[in-house]
Amino acid sequence: MTSSAAPDATPDDQPGTGLRIDAERNRDRILAAARRLYATEGLGVSMAAVAREAGVGKATLSRRFATREDLITAVFTDRMDAYAEAVTTALANPDPWHGFTDYIYAVCAMQAADRGFADVLTMTFPAAKALEARRTESYNGFLELIACTQATGHLRHDFTSQDLVILLMANAGVINATGDAAPDTWHRLVGHMLRSYATPAAPIPPLPDAPAPAALYRAMIRLSRGRSDNL
């Protein structure tokens, strides 16, 4: 007896009473696989790689998520919500400067925890409307935070929203370069950058410790090997 099912069909592609359960299970597997791959390898991971990691066929993946942007939106909606909430928390702080510094550290920590989200924060996805709407909301909140903090006299008046983008790009580079060899190095970068944003009157948070020389050396070797592999 032969089957008329497609070669890569999985249970949720077949008629039957368990279709909804199987479809939901496959969706969860796809999201879990995408989170793992995006977190470790960034957003350059192909849809085919996600399907393989999830153990489903490409047709099943495309039925659950028609486009790459659909998948990215589903994976990172909760993180983008946390990103937006970080601005709300900062604006609620009675001390705008403390709210500002806490926000900067919070966003950079989100980058460090998930390489994929580090990419999301420094890229745009015009087709992912829900994701971009949250990004716009966060951006508008950050503009308000900048104005409030500058009004205290603690944030330099030449600081602009573009400076956060520059910091996120730099932080993403440090995170990718150091990996697990010196994973806390980004703290030091952020500490120095906050000092560059502050006026002389601002209360400066303590500068995080520099990475140990041996750890930084391992990170340099790691980065050098990565570049050699790409030649």
Side-chain angles (χ1 to χ4, degrees), residues 31-47:
L31 288 175
R35 286 191 180 102
R36 288 193 299 271
L37 291 176
Y38 289 156
T40 56
E41 301 180 31
L43 297 186
V45 173
S46 69
M47 294 287 276

Side-chain angles (χ1 to χ4, degrees), residues 117-159:
F117 192 59
D119 290 344
V120 168
L121 289 179
T122 55
M123 298 170 66
T124 59
F125 304 91
K129 297 189 182 303
L131 209 63
E132 290 303 311
R134 287 300 259 167
R135 187 200 303 276
T136 299
E137 177 185 339
S138 300
Y139 175 75
N140 290 334
F142 186 55
L143 291 180
E144 183 180 351
L145 180 62
I146 291 172
C148 291
T149 310
Q150 287 174 334
T152 68
H154 292 156
L155 178 63
R156 289 172 51 140
H157 282 282
D158 56 359
F159 178 90

Side-chain angles (χ1 to χ4, degrees), residues 1-213:
M1 180 180 295
T2 60
S3 171
S4 60
D8 74 342
T10 51
D12 71 300
D13 301 313
Q14 310 296 327
T17 57
L19 184 143
R20 288 186 179 179
I21 294 174
D22 288 332
E24 188 63 28
R25 183 182 298 118
N26 277 339
R27 186 180 190 278
D28 291 343
R29 289 166 64 186
I30 291 166
L31 288 175
R35 286 191 180 102
R36 288 193 299 271
L37 291 176
Y38 289 156
T40 56
E41 301 180 31
L43 297 186
V45 173
S46 69
M47 294 287 276
V50 173
R52 286 194 299 271
E53 178 76 9
V56 302
K58 288 186 287 186
T60 298
L61 173 59
S62 66
R63 273 188 279 276
R64 304 284 82 77
F65 303 100
T67 67
R68 174 174 174 265
E69 286 76 13
D70 290 340
L71 181 58
I72 289 172
T73 297
V75 169
F76 291 107
T77 291
D78 58 342
R79 289 163 177 77
M80 191 58 80
D81 286 344
Y83 179 56
E85 289 167 6
V87 178
T88 301
T89 299
L91 287 169
N93 193 310
D95 184 330
W97 171 249
H98 285 156
F100 176 85
T101 58
D102 288 349
Y103 173 75
I104 296 295
Y105 269 114
V107 173
C108 290
M110 291 177 193
Q111 279 191 302
D114 188 323
R115 181 175 172 182
F117 192 59
D119 290 344
V120 168
L121 289 179
T122 55
M123 298 170 66
T124 59
F125 304 91
K129 297 189 182 303
L131 209 63
E132 290 303 311
R134 287 300 259 167
R135 187 200 303 276
T136 299
E137 177 185 339
S138 300
Y139 175 75
N140 290 334
F142 186 55
L143 291 180
E144 183 180 351
L145 180 62
I146 291 172
C148 291
T149 310
Q150 287 174 334
T152 68
H154 292 156
L155 178 63
R156 289 172 51 140
H157 282 282
D158 56 359
F159 178 90
T160 72
S161 60
Q162 292 94 319
D163 290 314
L164 176 60
V165 177
I166 294 169
L167 171 58
L168 292 177
M169 289 178 174
N171 195 45
V174 169
I175 292 164
N176 291 335
T178 55
D180 57 3
D184 294 330
T185 304
W186 67 269
H187 291 274
R188 184 80 171 183
L189 170 68
V190 175
H192 278 302
M193 294 308 296
L194 285 176
R195 279 160 172 70
S196 74
Y197 304 153
T199 66
I204 305 296
L207 184 66
D209 293 337

